[in-house]
Every structure is written in C-alpha cells, then in structure tokens.
Amino acid sequence: VYDLHGEKVEKFFKFHEVEHEILALPTNEAHKDFDLVFQVADALERFGINRRKEPIIAIGGGVCLDVAGLAANLFRRNTPLIKVPTT
C-alpha cells in the first residue's frame, strides 16, 4: 500500500501541516503476530501520540487493520483509530 499511496499521503499531511509518522509494515498473514503489534505500539510511544486527541490512521488490508487495532487498544485504552481498508 505504501508503494502505491505513500507519497500522496505524505504530500497531503505536509500540505496541511499535520505532524505524522508513517510506519510501513510487512502486512501479510505470515507477519501477523505479536512482534508486529509491539512494533506498532513502540512506534506510538516514540511518536508521543496523545490518545485523546490524535488518531492512528491505518491504511491497508485486513492484517494491517487488525494489527493497528490491537496495538491501539494495547497501547492506551480509547486511542482513536481510523481504518481505511484497501481490500
């Protein structure tokens, strides 16, 4: 998904001055595990996301959306999550 849409998403966020970090994940069933969930949660912690005001935006297929959803719930309860399915 990043190869197809990453540049457009980056340009959109920069144009609108949105502080962001894109985390491109290996999202196929073989990589759907807790290591990937913890990798996302670690990235959220490093970014310093405000769980009440700043959403996680997950763009991708089922594995991506599953991993992002679990990471959001494990990271901090009620962290907003916007899912953009591509499949």
Side-chain angles (χ1 to χ4, degrees):
V1 171
Y2 182 79
D3 291 341
L4 293 173
H5 305 292
E7 186 177 329
K8 294 174 195 167
V9 172
E10 287 274 359
K11 285 181 181 179
F12 177 86
F13 285 149
K14 286 180 183 177
F15 179 81
H16 293 283
E17 298 178 350
V18 175
E19 187 178 349
H20 67 282
E21 180 179 330
I22 293 181
L23 181 62
L25 303 173
T27 53
N28 57 45
E29 288 295 327
H31 291 98
K32 188 177 181 179
D33 59 23
F34 282 106
D35 288 338
L36 190 56
V37 172
F38 295 138
Q39 179 183 344
V40 173
D42 286 342
L44 295 171
E45 181 69 27
R46 283 192 311 275
F47 185 75
I49 193 168
N50 180 326
R51 73 175 177 97
R52 299 194 187 272
K53 298 179 181 178
E54 300 171 335
I56 297 167
I57 302 172
I59 304 171
V63 172
C64 174
L65 302 181
D66 289 349
V67 168
L70 184 55
N73 286 314
L74 291 174
F75 175 68
R76 297 243 168 42
R77 187 179 49 148
N78 297 326
T79 300
L81 174 65
I82 299 169
K83 294 181 178 183
V84 182
T86 59
T87 54

